[in-house]
Amino acid sequence: MIHKPTENIWTKYKALLKEKGCFGMLKEVTVNSQVWKSVFRHTFADTPKNRMLKVVSNVFMHLHPAKVKRHAPQLKFTWCMGGISFFLFLVLTFTGVLLMFYYRPTVHDAYWDIKDLEYQVPFGAILRNLHRWSAHLMVITVWFHMFRVFATGSYKPPREFNWCVGVVLLVLTLLLSFTGYLLTWDQLGFWAVTVGTNMARSTPLIGHEGPFGEQLGMTAHNDVRFALLGGSLVGGNALLRAYVWHCIGLPLIISIFMMVHFWRIRKDGGISGPL
């Protein structure tokens, strides 16, 4: 009597093996196990309820609506600029991580690491250009996405908050592009960052040449330009700070805002309809 439960289990397995075969038995046992049910809390039957549960209970998909309006996927209305921008961000993240294996953010190594990547590393030129052109395209698609939202009136209530989130994402995208300029440590990147950071001296309140900057005690050694460069000139400190912001700081911030952006689209009723 002690071994009866074990015998019943083996009898059940033999019946399943005879009825459904080896793979069918393994599938049946796995799907009905407590471990499987703790991970997937619904069946696979193709019903409206299960399709909704797959979206709601998935950590990656729950930001999106369980149902989409008929007009939403229409390319002639959305241009798919938002989706393309997100796809390019994923491409940039993947290629950027690979580039980090071959790049050292120092004054003596940065330029030559880029040259080695282009001429010595197998497929390095493809990797670098894929990252570079994806960055340019992301700036373009984000601008077009903002234009489409404005042209179709999708910024109007109740979506005005999400419009503001989109503006922040646009600024963060431009900052990602700007910080990436310096990492090649060539003449174009060096002088582009020099001009850009010189403009920061005129920032209101936090620039020593900007409105109210002098009154708040801002000088050339403690204003926003000094903070961006880590000094008074574009040098090793500026390169390191641009690297950290470009590879860690800004991607984390932009990821958070994108999640809020996608979530608000769902909460605001999905993609707005045609005017």
Side-chain angles (χ1 to χ4, degrees):
M1 294 300 293
I2 297 177
H3 300 287
K4 188 173 183 180
T6 305
E7 293 175 357
N8 290 337
I9 293 175
W10 281 112
T11 303
K12 178 182 177 182
Y13 287 166
K14 289 179 181 178
L16 287 173
L17 181 62
K18 183 178 181 180
E19 179 184 354
K20 299 186 177 183
C22 181
F23 292 104
M25 181 197 71
L26 290 175
K27 179 182 177 182
E28 185 75 18
V29 172
T30 303
V31 171
N32 290 322
S33 66
Q34 182 58 36
V35 176
W36 181 272
K37 291 179 180 180
S38 68
V39 178
F40 304 98
R41 299 181 179 274
H42 54 80
T43 62
F44 290 97
D46 189 12
T47 62
K49 180 180 179 181
N50 275 339
R51 287 197 293 268
M52 182 271 294
L53 288 174
K54 289 176 184 178
V55 175
V56 175
S57 61
N58 188 288
V59 67
F60 299 107
M61 300 176 64
H62 78 281
L63 294 172
H64 299 280
K67 296 182 179 180
V68 179
K69 295 181 179 178
R70 187 179 298 273
H71 69 269
Q74 294 181 2
L75 185 63
K76 65 180 181 180
F77 176 71
T78 64
W79 301 353
C80 202
M81 288 294 104
I84 293 175
S85 299
F86 179 63
F87 170 75
L88 290 172
F89 177 77
L90 296 179
V91 172
L92 287 166
T93 302
F94 178 73
T95 56
V97 170
L98 295 180
L99 288 172
M100 291 171 69
F101 284 100
Y102 300 99
Y103 179 81
R104 290 168 291 179
T106 64
V107 172
H108 300 291
D109 299 318
Y111 178 78
W112 298 112
D113 284 348
I114 295 297
K115 289 302 177 183
D116 286 342
L117 179 71
E118 191 170 356
Y119 295 108
Q120 301 296 329
V121 178
F123 305 104
I126 296 176
L127 180 63
R128 183 199 172 192
N129 285 309
L130 183 62
H131 189 80
R132 176 187 176 187
W133 286 108
S134 296
H136 293 330
L137 285 174
M138 184 176 174
V139 173
I140 295 172
T141 55
V142 171
W143 275 111
F144 273 113
H145 178 59
M146 298 291 289
F147 174 76
R148 195 281 301 173
V149 171
F150 179 80
T152 56
S154 301
Y155 61 90
K156 297 178 181 178
R159 299 180 174 88
E160 60 269 36
F161 172 76
N162 215 17
W163 168 261
C164 295
V165 174
V167 173
V168 173
L169 285 170
L170 172 63
V171 174
L172 292 172
T173 301
L174 297 177
L175 287 175
L176 276 172
S177 180
F178 180 73
T179 52
Y181 253 93
L182 187 61
L183 300 186
T184 55
W185 201 247
D186 54 6
Q187 288 294 307
L188 176 63
F190 181 89
W191 292 109
V193 172
T194 300
V195 173
T197 52
N198 283 342
M199 294 169 61
R201 295 183 301 186
S202 301
T203 306
L205 304 178
I206 56 177
H208 74 277
E209 294 181 357
F212 305 107
E214 184 177 356
Q215 288 78 3
L216 293 175
M218 293 296 165
T219 66
H221 301 288
N222 65 0
D223 66 348
V224 63
R225 179 180 182 274
F226 188 88
L228 290 173
L229 297 180
S232 301
L233 300 173
V234 179
N237 288 340
L239 178 60
L240 181 59
R241 294 196 178 198
Y243 177 77
V244 173
W245 276 113
H246 186 77
C247 298
I248 301 176
L250 290 173
L252 287 176
I253 296 172
I254 202 171
S255 297
I256 294 172
F257 275 92
M258 280 195 298
M259 287 189 289
V260 174
H261 194 60
F262 298 153
W263 174 71
R264 287 298 305 193
I265 291 175
R266 189 181 87 176
K267 291 300 182 180
D268 292 336
I271 298 175
S272 59
L275 294 175

